[in-house]
PDB file of all heavy atoms in Angstrom:
ATOM      1  N   GLY B1534       4.549  24.047  53.658  1.00 86.00           N
ATOM      2  CA  GLY B1534       4.131  23.291  54.835  1.00 86.00           C
ATOM      3  C   GLY B1534       5.300  22.685  55.581  1.00 86.00           C
ATOM      4  O   GLY B1534       5.312  22.656  56.821  1.00 86.00           O
ATOM      5  N   GLY B1535       6.301  22.176  54.846  1.00 87.00           N
ATOM      6  CA  GLY B1535       7.467  21.589  55.497  1.00 87.00           C
ATOM      7  C   GLY B1535       8.256  22.624  56.293  1.00 87.00           C
ATOM      8  O   GLY B1535       8.711  22.339  57.417  1.00 87.00           O
ATOM      9  N   MET B1536       8.421  23.835  55.737  1.00 89.00           N
ATOM     10  CA  MET B1536       9.134  24.884  56.476  1.00 89.00           C
ATOM     11  C   MET B1536       8.373  25.262  57.746  1.00 89.00           C
ATOM     12  O   MET B1536       8.971  25.442  58.812  1.00 89.00           O
ATOM     13  CB  MET B1536       9.306  26.104  55.566  1.00 89.00           C
ATOM     14  CG  MET B1536      10.264  25.885  54.411  1.00 89.00           C
ATOM     15  SD  MET B1536      10.375  27.308  53.309  1.00 89.00           S
ATOM     16  CE  MET B1536      11.031  28.543  54.423  1.00 89.00           C
ATOM     17  N   PHE B1537       7.041  25.340  57.649  1.00 89.00           N
ATOM     18  CA  PHE B1537       6.249  25.653  58.843  1.00 89.00           C
ATOM     19  C   PHE B1537       6.372  24.540  59.873  1.00 89.00           C
ATOM     20  O   PHE B1537       6.504  24.797  61.077  1.00 89.00           O
ATOM     21  CB  PHE B1537       4.784  25.851  58.459  1.00 89.00           C
ATOM     22  CG  PHE B1537       3.873  26.065  59.634  1.00 89.00           C
ATOM     23  CD1 PHE B1537       3.713  27.327  60.173  1.00 89.00           C
ATOM     24  CD2 PHE B1537       3.204  24.996  60.210  1.00 89.00           C
ATOM     25  CE1 PHE B1537       2.886  27.521  61.280  1.00 89.00           C
ATOM     26  CE2 PHE B1537       2.377  25.178  61.314  1.00 89.00           C
ATOM     27  CZ  PHE B1537       2.219  26.442  61.847  1.00 89.00           C
ATOM     28  N   LEU B1538       6.337  23.288  59.404  1.00 88.00           N
ATOM     29  CA  LEU B1538       6.424  22.155  60.320  1.00 88.00           C
ATOM     30  C   LEU B1538       7.770  22.127  61.030  1.00 88.00           C
ATOM     31  O   LEU B1538       7.845  21.898  62.248  1.00 88.00           O
ATOM     32  CB  LEU B1538       6.195  20.860  59.545  1.00 88.00           C
ATOM     33  CG  LEU B1538       6.046  19.582  60.369  1.00 88.00           C
ATOM     34  CD1 LEU B1538       4.862  19.689  61.310  1.00 88.00           C
ATOM     35  CD2 LEU B1538       5.870  18.376  59.452  1.00 88.00           C
ATOM     36  N   ILE B1539       8.841  22.372  60.305  1.00 90.00           N
ATOM     37  CA  ILE B1539      10.174  22.389  60.916  1.00 90.00           C
ATOM     38  C   ILE B1539      10.285  23.522  61.927  1.00 90.00           C
ATOM     39  O   ILE B1539      10.792  23.342  63.058  1.00 90.00           O
ATOM     40  CB  ILE B1539      11.252  22.522  59.829  1.00 90.00           C
ATOM     41  CG1 ILE B1539      11.289  21.246  58.977  1.00 90.00           C
ATOM     42  CG2 ILE B1539      12.620  22.768  60.453  1.00 90.00           C
ATOM     43  CD1 ILE B1539      12.209  21.345  57.787  1.00 90.00           C
ATOM     44  N   ALA B1540       9.782  24.710  61.558  1.00 89.00           N
ATOM     45  CA  ALA B1540       9.814  25.846  62.492  1.00 89.00           C
ATOM     46  C   ALA B1540       8.980  25.544  63.732  1.00 89.00           C
ATOM     47  O   ALA B1540       9.370  25.878  64.866  1.00 89.00           O
ATOM     48  CB  ALA B1540       9.302  27.101  61.787  1.00 89.00           C
ATOM     49  N   GLY B1541       7.821  24.891  63.554  1.00 88.00           N
ATOM     50  CA  GLY B1541       6.975  24.557  64.696  1.00 88.00           C
ATOM     51  C   GLY B1541       7.644  23.565  65.620  1.00 88.00           C
ATOM     52  O   GLY B1541       7.555  23.676  66.858  1.00 88.00           O
ATOM     53  N   ILE B1542       8.321  22.556  65.039  1.00 90.00           N
ATOM     54  CA  ILE B1542       9.013  21.565  65.872  1.00 90.00           C
ATOM     55  C   ILE B1542      10.144  22.224  66.667  1.00 90.00           C
ATOM     56  O   ILE B1542      10.335  21.937  67.865  1.00 90.00           O
ATOM     57  CB  ILE B1542       9.546  20.427  64.986  1.00 90.00           C
ATOM     58  CG1 ILE B1542       8.367  19.620  64.406  1.00 90.00           C
ATOM     59  CG2 ILE B1542      10.477  19.517  65.762  1.00 90.00           C
ATOM     60  CD1 ILE B1542       8.782  18.562  63.417  1.00 90.00           C
ATOM     61  N   LEU B1543      10.900  23.105  66.022  1.00 91.00           N
ATOM     62  CA  LEU B1543      11.972  23.809  66.733  1.00 91.00           C
ATOM     63  C   LEU B1543      11.414  24.669  67.862  1.00 91.00           C
ATOM     64  O   LEU B1543      11.937  24.674  68.981  1.00 91.00           O
ATOM     65  CB  LEU B1543      12.765  24.669  65.744  1.00 91.00           C
ATOM     66  CG  LEU B1543      13.633  23.917  64.729  1.00 91.00           C
ATOM     67  CD1 LEU B1543      14.277  24.889  63.757  1.00 91.00           C
ATOM     68  CD2 LEU B1543      14.706  23.105  65.448  1.00 91.00           C
ATOM     69  N   LEU B1544      10.324  25.403  67.575  1.00 89.00           N
ATOM     70  CA  LEU B1544       9.727  26.250  68.601  1.00 89.00           C
ATOM     71  C   LEU B1544       9.191  25.409  69.764  1.00 89.00           C
ATOM     72  O   LEU B1544       9.374  25.759  70.947  1.00 89.00           O
ATOM     73  CB  LEU B1544       8.605  27.083  67.989  1.00 89.00           C
ATOM     74  CG  LEU B1544       7.866  28.036  68.937  1.00 89.00           C
ATOM     75  CD1 LEU B1544       8.839  29.067  69.510  1.00 89.00           C
ATOM     76  CD2 LEU B1544       6.714  28.735  68.219  1.00 89.00           C
ATOM     77  N   LEU B1545       8.544  24.293  69.460  1.00 87.00           N
ATOM     78  CA  LEU B1545       8.018  23.421  70.500  1.00 87.00           C
ATOM     79  C   LEU B1545       9.148  22.848  71.356  1.00 87.00           C
ATOM     80  O   LEU B1545       9.035  22.769  72.597  1.00 87.00           O
ATOM     81  CB  LEU B1545       7.219  22.286  69.856  1.00 87.00           C
ATOM     82  CG  LEU B1545       6.689  21.196  70.787  1.00 87.00           C
ATOM     83  CD1 LEU B1545       5.742  21.790  71.809  1.00 87.00           C
ATOM     84  CD2 LEU B1545       5.977  20.111  69.989  1.00 87.00           C
ATOM     85  N   SER B1546      10.258  22.462  70.722  1.00 88.00           N
ATOM     86  CA  SER B1546      11.397  21.917  71.475  1.00 88.00           C
ATOM     87  C   SER B1546      11.969  22.957  72.421  1.00 88.00           C
ATOM     88  O   SER B1546      12.282  22.656  73.592  1.00 88.00           O
ATOM     89  CB  SER B1546      12.477  21.423  70.506  1.00 88.00           C
ATOM     90  OG  SER B1546      11.960  20.433  69.634  1.00 88.00           O
ATOM     91  N   ILE B1547      12.108  24.181  71.939  1.00 90.00           N
ATOM     92  CA  ILE B1547      12.666  25.245  72.793  1.00 90.00           C
ATOM     93  C   ILE B1547      11.754  25.510  73.980  1.00 90.00           C
ATOM     94  O   ILE B1547      12.209  25.630  75.142  1.00 90.00           O
ATOM     95  CB  ILE B1547      12.874  26.525  71.956  1.00 90.00           C
ATOM     96  CG1 ILE B1547      13.984  26.292  70.920  1.00 90.00           C
ATOM     97  CG2 ILE B1547      13.225  27.705  72.855  1.00 90.00           C
ATOM     98  CD1 ILE B1547      14.147  27.434  69.936  1.00 90.00           C
ATOM     99  N   ILE B1548      10.434  25.601  73.732  1.00 87.00           N
ATOM    100  CA  ILE B1548       9.486  25.849  74.830  1.00 87.00           C
ATOM    101  C   ILE B1548       9.522  24.709  75.838  1.00 87.00           C
ATOM    102  O   ILE B1548       9.508  24.929  77.057  1.00 87.00           O
ATOM    103  CB  ILE B1548       8.066  26.041  74.263  1.00 87.00           C
ATOM    104  CG1 ILE B1548       8.002  27.335  73.452  1.00 87.00           C
ATOM    105  CG2 ILE B1548       7.025  26.059  75.375  1.00 87.00           C
ATOM    106  CD1 ILE B1548       6.678  27.555  72.760  1.00 87.00           C
TER     107      ILE B1548
END
Side-chain angles (χ1 to χ4, degrees):
M1536 291 177 63
F1537 175 85
L1538 189 60
I1539 292 173
I1542 292 174
L1543 290 176
L1544 180 61
L1545 175 61
S1546 302
I1547 292 173
I1548 293 175

